[in-house]
Structures are given as C-alpha cells and as structure tokens.
Amino acid sequence: MKERNTKIVRIGFINIGNSYPIAIQTMTKTLTKDYKATIKQIKRLEEIGCHIVRVAVPDNESITALKKIIREINVPLVADIHFDYLLAIKAIEAGASKIRINPGNISDKKKIKEILSIAKERNIAIRIGINSGSLEKKIIDKYGQATVEAMVESALNSIKYFEDNDFFNTVISLKANDIRRTVESYRLISSKTNYPLHLGITEAGTAFSGTIKSAIGLGILLYEGIGDTIRVSLSADPEEEVRVGYEILKSLDLYKDAPVVIACPTCSRAEIDVQSIAKEIESKINDMRKSIRIAVMGCVVNGPGEAKEADIGVTGSKGIAIIFKKGRVYKRVLPDEIIETLLEEIKGL
Ligand code: SF4
C-alpha cells in the first residue's frame, strides 16, 4: 500500500493527513435543531469510536442548537452548510471544529471571502465538498455534465481562490454516486494537490448495496494511498456507517485496534453452528477497540490451522468444540458452552 503524503489539517483535537490514522466520520440523521436527539445520537457514535461527526445546519435554529450540542459532546463537530454563507459564519462562531461548504451553491466570491476570513481568524478548517449532483452552473455549462474533469476543475478553482486569500486549512472531497467517477476524480485531484482528502461515495444506497459500493470505491483509493478521512454514506443508521468504515479500514490493515472475526463459510462437515456463533460473537465485540483475532471454524479440515493463528479460536470436532488460545489447544467444551467461553476469554485478553 502506498504512503500518503498530504498536508496535515487539524479538526478539533484530531489531526488528519499524511501519516495520521485515517479518521472515520459520519453524519447525524436527527433534526439538528432537536438538540437533545442530536446529542443522544452523537454520544452513541462516540461510544462506538466515531472520530468526527458532521451535522447539517440548514437554518438559524440549528445554529442555536449547535452551541448546546458542542457543549455536551466529546468529538469534533463539523457543520455542513449549503446555500447560506451566513450560516457558515455563524457555525464557526458557534464553535464548529470545521465547516463543509459546497462551491456549487455558495459561489459568490465576496461571501466566500468573509467565510475564509473568520475561519482563518479562528483556525477552523474548511472542506470544499464537491458533489456531482450540485456542480456550479458555469462548470456544467463548460463540460455539459458532471464529468471527472468538471469535478476536479471545480475543486481546483476553489482551492486557488482559497490560496489567493491566504487560506490553506483545507480538506477536499469529490463525491459522485458511482465508483468510476469517484475513484478517477480522487486520483486526479491527488495528482494535483496535497490537501487531505475526505473520501466517500455519495448516496451509496442501502446498508447492503451501499456497503459494497463504498467498500469497493473507498477500498481502491485507500489501497492506492489516497484518502485521509472517510465517510460511508448509507440509507441506514449512522452507527452502521461507522461500523462499515471500520470494516473497510480493518480489511486493508489500516486500522489495527479492533477485533477481527474469521469464520468459515460452513458446509456439511461442520460440527458446530458456525453461523450463529460467529454472528453472536461479532455483535458482542464489534465496538471493542482492541486488536484481537478470533476464529470460528466448523471442523478439523481448516479449523485447527485457522484457530491456532488466532488469539482465540474454536473448531468443531466429533460432537465437541476445541478452544485454541494463542496457538495451543486450551480446552474442550460442549457446543452450547462455546459462546460463553469465547466471550469470557476475549474479556481477559
Ligand atoms: Fe466446511 Fe470444515 Fe471448511 Fe468449515 S472448516 S467450510 S466446516 S470443511
């Protein structure tokens, strides 16, 4: 995997870029002005290890809520702004750690200049969030549609304007709802600038199809050393987005402090109920931030080998289950004792 070589940008207490770990972010799905519900959702996201949370700020009531939310939470908060530049200014004043603006719907240079001025004064980062569905009119007029080149040109225009105004605290995203344009846009922009990149496939879909789409798109880019923070966009709870984000990073070995469950697909040789054991174990330990490898294997064909390589593992064998720990046979238990035994051992690791 290639190394990333980007500028470092600070978002609250989190640094992104260069060799900093890839930060996982999501977006709340409550009404921001309902600050109690939003705080509750963010608290849950904190518990499962979300690094940065973004909230939509569509109106002044959300700005009022923002102040209350920021007081109660422990993760950096990003304000997502469209159309109204004054909301961007107010969100910065309310204490947002970063704001996201879309050049497709805030294009008046004077207004952007005002945003840059206050962001600079308060050392707040800005994400230039390009979206294939909302490119500025003059770019669409030039290219006819939201092509890769159109999206990149839009980003480069904004970067230039930011830099001309002495603003460099910038993160870039170029999201399309298909993998090809997303991958090619990020590849192209990363060859032209070294600002940190926020990766995502926009409107990826439901938990099932959106997870696959995001894993492929983000996986390709991350493997190529492109991307400093990720957001998986799913029509599902934000917790699901964070979990999928972790799975993507874990699969690429970009995040190590998390459990990995190895489970065989099972077949007629299986002597224990691998599917339900693996599912139950995974649901219990998914949110742990500990590097552990757990193997659940149906029989002795591949079972002992996989289980031995794991920190803790189980394999079915002649009506009994063999528990392996750190490469050695540890004990034999009855099939209905497997889950309890594994969870107990995992706790002690
Ligand atoms: Fe089948 Fe055994 Fe392989 Fe599992 S480990 S898939 S039960 S042969």
Side-chain angles (χ1 to χ4, degrees), residues 36 48 55 88 92 102 194 213 240 242 267 270 311 316:
K36 285 188 183 155
I48 64 166
V55 300
I92 294 171
N102 179 348
N194 67 347
K213 219 168 170 183
E240 194 62 20
V242 173
C267 67
D311 294 299

Side-chain angles (χ1 to χ4, degrees), residues 184-203:
E184 290 177 14
S185 300
Y186 278 103
R187 278 181 180 153
L188 188 58
I189 196 83
S190 72
S191 70
K192 293 179 183 291
T193 75
N194 67 347
Y195 286 106
L197 297 174
H198 163 124
L199 301 187
I201 308 274
T202 195
E203 298 122 22

Side-chain angles (χ1 to χ4, degrees), residues 69-119:
I69 295 166
I70 290 166
R71 269 204 300 271
E72 298 294 323
I73 62 171
N74 300 304
V75 277
L77 185 121
V78 181
D80 192 76
I81 314 286
H82 293 268
F83 305 108
D84 186 350
Y85 84 107
L86 284 174
L87 290 175
I89 291 174
K90 288 177 193 168
I92 294 171
E93 287 169 344
S97 298
K98 180 176 128 197
I99 58 161
R100 178 271 171 121
I101 57 170
N102 179 348
N105 54 43
I106 304 180
S107 54
D108 183 335
K109 295 278 189 278
K110 266 198 262 156
K111 292 175 179 172
I112 294 181
K113 198 170 181 166
E114 279 189 53
I115 300 173
L116 295 180
S117 159
I118 181 151

Side-chain angles (χ1 to χ4, degrees), residues 263-272 274 296-304 306 315-316:
C264 81
T266 88
C267 67
S268 74
R269 291 189 191 91
E271 299 197 45
I272 55 173
V274 173
V296 182
M297 305 294 289
C299 76
V300 290
V301 173
N302 291 324
E306 283 289 358
T315 187

